[in-house]
Amino acid sequence: MEIFVNGQALQVPDGSSVAQAVKLFAPTVEPGRGAAVALGDQVVASSRWSQTAVNAGDHLELLTAVAGG
Amino acid sequence: MSDDFSIAGQVFGSRLITGTGGAANHDVLERALRASGTELTTVALRRVDPAARGSLLEVLDRAGVQVLPNTAGCRTAREALLTARLGREALGTDWVKLEVVADEDTLLPDAVELLEAAEQLVGDGFTVLAYTNDDPALALRLERAGCAAVMPLGAPIGTGLGILNPHNIALIVERASVPVVLDAGVGTASDAALAMELGCDAVLLATAVTRAQNPELMATAMRHAVLAGRAAHLAGRIPQRALAQASSSWQGLARFGAA
C-alpha cells in the first residue's frame, strides 16, 4: 500500500506499523533517539511506533532537530 | 562574582542563550558554541532527510549545552502546539521556545496566535519561553498566561538592526516578574551589551554569531558583551547631563604667566 512520509510517497507492506514505515524511509532513525512522528495531527510516542498501524493514504511527518532559531 | 539567573527554577551560569541556525557547518557551530560559553541553545524541528550526514544533537552533546526546541516556521497556534509536542517527544524536554510568526518577510510574532499557543502549551505542561514583540502589554499577557520567560525582539530576526525600541524593552523589564530575554535583532556586541544594560536577564542570538565572518571570535565578543552589560546594569550608570562636568578639580589650577 502507499503512504506518505514527509510528503513523499512510500510503498509499505499491508499491515505495517509506524516503526516499519520509519525504518523503510530512514533506516538510521531509531525510536526515542532525537526523532518524532506525527500521524495526521497526532504525535505517536516512540514507545508506540511498533504498535501503531498505518493505513493506505496516511500522512506521516517524521521530524528531527536541525540547526535553527 | 556569581551572577546566576534562572528560568522555571533551573539555574544558568551564562546569560547568553544561542541559536544554532546559520552556521556554515557543524564544526564552525561547535567552536562558536564553546566560545560563547552558552548553556542553552535552540534547535528547530524539520523533516528527517534520509541522506543527511552528521547529527546536530551529537554536536550539542559534545559542547555540553542544553537543547531548547523551537517552533520556528509556525504560523498558527495549532501548528505551534503540534510542533512543540513533536519537539518534546524527539528531545525529551518540555521546554519550548515558542515562535508564531505572521509572515515570512518580517517574521514578526502574530500576537493573537502567539497568546493562544502560549495558553495551550502552558495548559499542556510545557515550560514556555515566548518570542514576542517589543510590546509591554503583550509581554504581560504572556506572563499572565504562564510563560516562564518573555523574549521580546530587539529587531526582526536576522536583521542585525540592534534594539530599535530600547524604551519598550526597558518598560517590559520594569513590569515583568519572569525573566526577560532579548531575542532577535542583535547584530554586534554592543547590541547585546545594551540589552543587558537595559536590565534584560539574558540575550538570545544566533545569526550575529553564526553568520559573522569569524563566528568563534564573535561568540567570544558576545560572551564578554553580555558580562559587561550585566555588570554595567548592576553597577548603576551615571545620570546623563546636557553640559560637561569636569572630573579634574578647578581648585589649584595653575595660572601661567600670572603676575
Side-chain angles (χ1 to χ4, degrees), chain B residues 73-182:
Chain B
C74 291
R75 304 274 290 269
T76 64
R78 175 182 158 274
E79 289 172 2
L81 190 63
L82 188 52
T83 303
R85 285 174 175 160
L86 286 164
R88 175 164 65 184
E89 172 64 23
L91 301 169
T93 173
D94 59 11
W95 283 44
V96 64
K97 174 186 166 180
L98 175 61
E99 287 183 55
V100 191
V101 298
D103 65 77
E104 288 176 20
D105 291 328
T106 66
L107 297 178
L108 290 171
D110 182 314
V112 174
E113 296 290 333
L114 172 64
L115 188 57
E116 188 181 328
E119 287 167 350
Q120 290 186 28
L121 285 167
V122 168
D124 202 20
F126 281 90
T127 295
V128 179
L129 290 70
Y131 166 64
T132 179
N133 289 299
D134 54 359
D135 174 348
L138 180 58
L140 270 185
R141 292 288 294 262
L142 289 163
E143 178 181 330
R144 287 181 196 139
C147 290
V150 291
M151 307 204 294
L153 56 84
I157 293 170
T159 60
L161 289 172
I163 300 177
L164 296 179
N165 196 336
H167 178 68
N168 272 20
I169 299 298
L171 270 177
I172 291 171
V173 166
E174 192 181 305
R175 295 171 171 200
S177 310
V178 294
V180 176
V181 180
L182 192 287

Side-chain angles (χ1 to χ4, degrees), chain B residues 178-195:
Chain B
V178 294
V180 176
V181 180
L182 192 287
D183 183 1
V186 170
T188 189
S190 52
D191 300 329
L194 175 59

Side-chain angles (χ1 to χ4, degrees), chain B residues 212-238:
Chain B
Q213 290 186 26
N214 183 336
E216 188 176 5
L217 188 56
M218 187 59 90
T220 305
M222 292 302 183
R223 175 162 58 87
H224 289 295
V226 167
L227 289 170
R230 174 66 181 169
H233 173 72
L234 294 175
R237 60 156 300 148
I238 59 165

